[in-house]
Amino acid sequence: MSSRMIFRRIIQYNIMNRRHNSSSSKNNFVRIFEVGPRDGLQNEKTQVPTPIKVEFVNRLSRTGLKFIEVTSFVSPKWVPQMGDHVEVLAAIDRIPGIRYSALTPNVQGINRVLSLGNKGADEIAIFSAASESFSKTNINCSIETSLQRFSEVTQISSQNNLPVRGYVSCVIGCPYEGKIKPSQVIPVVQKLLDMGCYEISLGDTIGVGTPKSIKELLQAIQSSGISINKLAIHCHDTYGQAIANIAQALDMGIRCVDSSVAGLGGCPYAKGASGSASGNVATEDVLYLLEGLGYETGVDLNRLIDVGQFITNVLKRENMSKVARAILCKRQDDTKTTAKNSTTK
Amino acid sequence: IPGIRYSALTPNVQGINRVLSLGNKGADEIAIFSAASESFSKTNINCSIETSLQRFSEVTQISSQNNLPVRGYVSCVIGCPYEGKIKPSQVIPVVQKLLDMGCYEISLGDTIGVGTPKSIKELLQAIQSSGISINKLAIHCHDTYGQAIANIAQALDMGIRCVDSSVAGLGGCPYAKGASGNVATEDVLYLLEGLGYETGVDLNRLIDVGQFITNVLKRENMSKVARAILCKRQDDTKTTAKNSTTK
């Protein structure tokens, strides 16, 4: 790696650590972590061509979003949708100030990212789970083994000053085990932080959380000594509770929210004949909440809606964002009114 | 069914008299609808708020003479499609007048769904500060911008114990055609159960009713809970079928 690259990484690494070591969690700014291109597309049936993925990321880059999860270094055998990870990263515009991230489940993945130099990723992500059954079913190994695997990844990332974000799945409920206790979540969060993750995104993977269980989890994590500013929230909207859960998390000091434009990415654990249940919460709906609550995000809602429309048209799927649907309806009405007024002049 | 109150809207004297004339095939309670926004009132029912309240007081005189409970609704308590943001100070007098007329409860409607937990909290705090008791209030959130469940959670936090909703989320938004309107009862029930509240309502039976009516209407079921649970039911059926064939 060039010394310029190393320098850049050190700066990024320090900025991330400084920001997230800040003692104030009562500040007014909320980071939106956009997972549409990865978590969203990964859970969509339609295979998206590489140029479209690139266009999608580029359009997201122009909305004000500063954190975009672009792709995943998993085997195309398991996740064909992410098979073009190198090509997508090579082709996307790199807007200064935006952190483009990629999942790296193993040493092979992170080494590949590093080998790409400035066509790699600004940060990487590792995924664990609070549920043993989920871990075994999803990645074929126990939580303990997966964490060992990840510590090999984080050793390499820290040597290279590459920031790492940790994800914990099933923090409220598991499709196999049912209710998950906070005491199952805390050790996993702690170990990921000990490995050097700058932040842990807590995932309500099957969307069974409600503000009460979210509050109990976050209180328990805080009581264990983990600072709220090391945490992000990743709610699924399977049961329509995501916005309420995010509101609760914000109340408790969380200042980073994961979401997916247009609510891309259905729930793989509730597949029906007429399509799967909801998965990711829609970024537009999250942004509406945040603005209503008085938070700053730097994201432009109208541009976001345009990107959501772009990708849902490509995927030929419905836009899951209620905000997008409402605003698009109003835009149509306004167009009709303008047309009507011009013809009657 | 004994113990269930079947209600009907009666916007005027003609309406309530018709209800009363039906005897025990009438309604157990009636409802009257006002608004916090003058523009909305004029556009919706062709008269000012003041005039509509006078009209309603004629209705409530008759209802009280006949011991027929009345529920009051106030539309546009957060925002109006014509006026924009509505201040709590516009809502409070209307709520008070409806209570003075004898309404047993006032359902506060976020008609265009623009509320978020902050504006809901501010409204309810203002209403309480004016001396109106929270147990006279109900919440009627629209899910046009996906905020209804969060808003209801906030209202519950502030002591609201009555929530309006519509099974399968029936009823789109007439002010943004194609957009969402009513919040789905199934999703509300899921929230309430998650928060530890008792309701007496059976979620699975509710989902079945939602499916019945959406099939008739040939429209999508707007409830996320219904969709998730119906998917799981299909999965369970497939698994059972698979298991029986492999025995």
Side-chain angles (χ1 to χ4, degrees):
Chain A
M1 202 192 319
S2 72
S3 58
R4 191 165 158 210
M5 195 63 217
I6 295 170
F7 186 67
R8 183 171 162 220
R9 287 264 165 80
I10 292 171
I11 302 286
Q12 283 171 346
Y13 196 78
N14 286 341
I15 290 171
M16 285 317 305
N17 281 335
R18 212 180 311 141
R19 183 180 297 161
H20 298 289
N21 284 332
S22 139
S23 57
S24 168
S25 70
K26 292 209 187 301
N27 66 64
N28 213 36
F29 191 86
V30 175
R31 286 157 52 228
I32 296 181
F33 206 105
E34 174 61 40
V35 301
R38 201 285 305 172
D39 195 358
L41 293 186
Q42 182 167 322
N43 288 297
E44 290 288 328
K45 290 192 293 281
T46 313
Q47 189 73 10
V48 177
T50 305
I52 304 281
K53 286 192 184 116
V54 172
E55 182 62 24
F56 180 35
V57 173
N58 288 346
R59 290 187 190 209
L60 287 169
S61 289
R62 285 159 177 84
T63 59
L65 287 164
K66 291 284 183 270
F67 293 83
I68 301 175
E69 186 176 85
V70 177
T71 189
S72 179
F73 281 74
V74 286
S75 161
K77 204 171 46 171
W78 300 120
V79 189
Q81 184 79 280
M82 296 291 123
D84 54 0
H85 41 250
V86 172
E87 291 79 1
V88 171
L89 286 169
I92 56 171
D93 295 337
R94 300 284 178 147
I95 307 299
I98 297 182
R99 298 170 63 80
Y100 299 95
S101 95
L103 259 64
T104 52
N106 49 37
V107 165
Q108 200 178 342
I110 187 180
N111 283 334
R112 193 77 178 94
V113 168
L114 290 166
S115 75
L116 302 171
N118 62 4
K119 294 290 183 187
D122 302 311
E123 65 175 71
I124 57 160
I126 53 183
F127 257 86
S128 189
S131 151
E132 280 292 356
S133 323
F134 189 85
S135 189
K136 289 192 177 120
T137 313
N138 226 32
I139 53 175
N140 275 321
C141 62
S142 69
I143 299 175
E144 187 59 48
T145 308
S146 77
L147 290 171
Q148 281 164 15
R149 209 177 279 176
F150 295 139
S151 71
E152 294 165 14
V153 172
T154 56
Q155 273 172 43
I156 298 171
S157 61
S158 78
Q159 281 162 14
N160 289 277
N161 289 314
L162 186 60
V164 190
R165 192 181 203 235
Y167 284 83
V168 182
S169 302
C170 295
V171 297
I172 307 281
C174 166
Y176 316 109
E177 280 181 31
K179 191 164 150 61
I180 295 293
K181 295 191 287 287
S183 56
Q184 293 170 265
V185 180
I186 293 164
V188 183
V189 173
Q190 190 60 66
K191 290 196 178 111
L192 289 170
L193 287 169
D194 292 343
M195 276 183 227
C197 289
Y198 75 84
E199 179 173 84
I200 310 302
S201 175
L202 303 165
D204 178 12
T205 308
I206 51 170
V208 291
T210 54
K212 182 166 180 262
S213 50
I214 293 288
K215 183 175 184 175
E216 283 167 0
L217 173 66
L218 294 175
Q219 277 175 339
I221 295 177
Q222 281 185 289
S223 300
S224 79
I226 294 166
S227 171
I228 200 93
N229 60 22
K230 293 287 187 185
L231 306 174
I233 193 87
H234 187 114
C235 292
H236 281 177
D237 205 32
T238 320
Y239 294 87
Q241 309 295 304
I243 295 291
N245 292 344
I246 290 165
Q248 177 70 75
L250 292 164
D251 249 5
M252 303 193 65
I254 293 266
R255 288 295 177 271
C256 180
V257 181
D258 298 2
S259 58
S260 177
V261 71
L264 292 189
C267 180
Y269 305 99
K271 279 188 173 31
S274 48
S276 56
S278 264
N280 286 309
V281 65
T283 307
E284 302 92 316
D285 299 0
V286 172
L287 186 54
Y288 193 91
L289 172 75
L290 292 170
E291 291 184 348
L293 296 179
Y295 292 104
E296 297 286 331
T297 62
V299 183
D300 183 315
L301 180 57
N302 279 303
R303 287 192 187 192
L304 196 61
I305 287 171
D306 291 340
V307 183
Q309 272 301 93
F310 162 76
I311 195 65
T312 50
N313 284 341
V314 164
L315 291 168
K316 296 185 181 25
R317 61 108 82 221
E318 68 171 319
N319 191 323
M320 299 302 285
S321 161
K322 290 205 167 180
V323 169
R325 284 159 75 162
I327 288 180
L328 289 164
C329 285
K330 292 184 87 181
R331 285 185 191 176
Q332 281 184 337
D333 276 353
D334 290 345
T335 312
K336 279 186 209 151
T337 313
T338 313
K340 197 173 160 194
N341 286 345
S342 356
T343 54
T344 54
K345 281 200 178 108
Chain B
I1 306 297
I4 297 180
R5 298 166 68 79
Y6 299 93
S7 97
L9 258 64
T10 53
N12 49 39
V13 166
Q14 202 177 343
I16 186 179
N17 283 335
R18 191 76 179 95
V19 167
L20 290 167
S21 75
L22 300 172
N24 62 3
K25 294 292 182 186
D28 302 308
E29 64 174 70
I30 57 159
I32 54 184
F33 257 84
S34 188
S37 151
E38 279 294 355
S39 324
F40 189 83
S41 189
K42 290 194 177 119
T43 313
N44 226 35
I45 52 175
N46 274 321
C47 63
S48 69
I49 298 174
E50 189 58 48
T51 309
S52 75
L53 290 170
Q54 280 163 16
R55 209 179 277 176
F56 294 139
S57 71
E58 295 166 14
V59 172
T60 57
Q61 274 171 44
I62 299 171
S63 62
S64 77
Q65 282 161 12
N66 290 275
N67 289 318
L68 186 59
V70 190
R71 191 180 203 235
Y73 284 81
V74 182
S75 302
C76 295
V77 298
I78 306 283
C80 166
Y82 317 109
E83 281 182 30
K85 190 164 150 58
I86 295 293
K87 297 191 285 286
S89 56
Q90 294 170 264
V91 180
I92 294 163
V94 183
V95 173
Q96 190 60 65
K97 288 193 179 115
L98 289 170
L99 287 170
D100 292 343
M101 276 183 228
C103 289
Y104 76 85
E105 181 173 83
I106 310 301
S107 174
L108 303 165
D110 178 12
T111 307
I112 52 170
V114 292
T116 53
K118 182 167 183 261
S119 50
I120 292 289
K121 183 176 186 176
E122 284 167 0
L123 173 67
L124 293 175
Q125 277 175 337
I127 295 178
Q128 281 185 287
S129 300
S130 78
I132 294 166
S133 170
I134 202 93
N135 60 23
K136 292 287 188 185
L137 306 174
I139 193 86
H140 187 116
C141 292
H142 280 178
D143 205 33
T144 320
Y145 295 85
Q147 311 293 306
I149 294 293
N151 293 343
I152 290 165
Q154 177 70 72
L156 291 163
D157 247 6
M158 305 194 63
I160 293 267
R161 289 296 179 267
C162 180
V163 181
D164 297 2
S165 59
S166 179
V167 71
L170 291 188
C173 180
Y175 306 98
K177 284 196 177 19
S180 263
N182 286 311
V183 66
T185 308
E186 301 91 316
D187 299 0
V188 171
L189 187 53
Y190 192 92
L191 172 75
L192 293 170
E193 291 184 350
L195 297 179
Y197 292 103
E198 297 285 333
T199 62
V201 183
D202 182 313
L203 180 57
N204 279 303
R205 289 193 186 191
L206 195 60
I207 288 172
D208 292 341
V209 182
Q211 274 299 92
F212 161 75
I213 194 64
T214 50
N215 285 340
V216 164
L217 291 168
K218 296 186 180 28
R219 65 108 83 217
E220 67 171 318
N221 191 324
M222 299 299 286
S223 160
K224 291 205 168 180
V225 169
R227 283 159 75 161
I229 289 179
L230 289 164
C231 282
K232 293 183 86 181
R233 285 186 193 174
Q234 282 182 337
D235 274 352
D236 290 345
T237 312
K238 278 187 212 153
T239 314
T240 315
K242 195 172 160 192
N243 287 345
S244 357
T245 52
T246 53
K247 280 198 177 113

